[in-house]
Amino acid sequence: MQSYTIGQAARLLGVSPDTARRWADAGRVKTHRDEGGRRLIDGRDLAAFSIELAGSGAGTGSGEEEPSYTSARNAFPGIVTAVKLGDVAAQVEIQAGPHRLVSLLTREAVEELGLEVGVEATARVKSTSVHIDRT
């Protein structure tokens, strides 16, 4: 399973590294240390926390995160929070800061990209289509 540094988690959650560090210090999200002593967050734990955070409204509008700019072609880096596989089709959900994006794609594409809960991915929105890139 993929793990994320505090800085990577902050970027995916749309907050400053200091905010992510405070949340980890307060025990809001579980961390562990790697061989080098860096604090890491398991991808599944980060995915669950991102859903909780988006539902609470925290991390949005607090003035701590970067302002959001949008255009017709947006890229939303985030973390995969759900994957539902059918025989041919699949549904993938990504939490990108306060934004939850859902994409319908082929099962084959999900398998080729290695998409699973806790994996970093970018949802690209063009008109009414959501495309997912594994990052």
Side-chain angles (χ1 to χ4, degrees):
M1 173 50 55
Q2 186 168 352
S3 293
Y4 299 90
T5 65
I6 295 290
Q8 290 170 322
R11 182 178 52 78
L12 293 170
L13 296 172
V15 299
S16 72
D18 287 337
T19 297
R21 200 171 293 107
R22 281 193 300 273
W23 288 338
D25 291 344
R28 288 191 63 191
V29 62
K30 183 180 169 185
T31 64
H32 63 278
R33 300 228 180 232
D34 68 4
E35 310 81 45
R38 295 182 309 163
R39 283 197 297 180
L40 300 174
I41 301 170
D42 178 74
R44 289 190 181 273
D45 292 336
L46 185 59
F49 182 67
S50 71
I51 293 170
E52 174 190 327
L53 189 63
S56 72
T60 61
S62 65
E64 295 185 31
E65 64 276 351
E66 296 285 322
S68 177
Y69 299 98
T70 61
S71 72
R73 294 187 178 122
N74 293 305
F76 293 88
I79 187 164
V80 175
T81 57
V83 176
K84 297 174 186 164
L85 294 174
D87 291 336
V88 177
Q91 177 179 311
V92 176
E93 296 181 22
I94 292 179
Q95 192 70 43
H99 308 290
R100 176 179 165 263
L101 297 112
V102 179
S103 180
L104 300 176
L105 56 164
T106 65
R107 178 186 182 112
E108 181 181 14
V110 169
E111 291 170 349
E112 283 179 12
L113 290 170
L115 296 175
E116 60 183 31
V117 173
V119 169
E120 186 177 357
T122 300
R124 298 191 185 279
V125 179
K126 180 179 177 189
S127 186
T128 59
S129 299
V130 176
H131 305 268
I132 296 180
D133 301 328
R134 172 84 187 265
T135 50

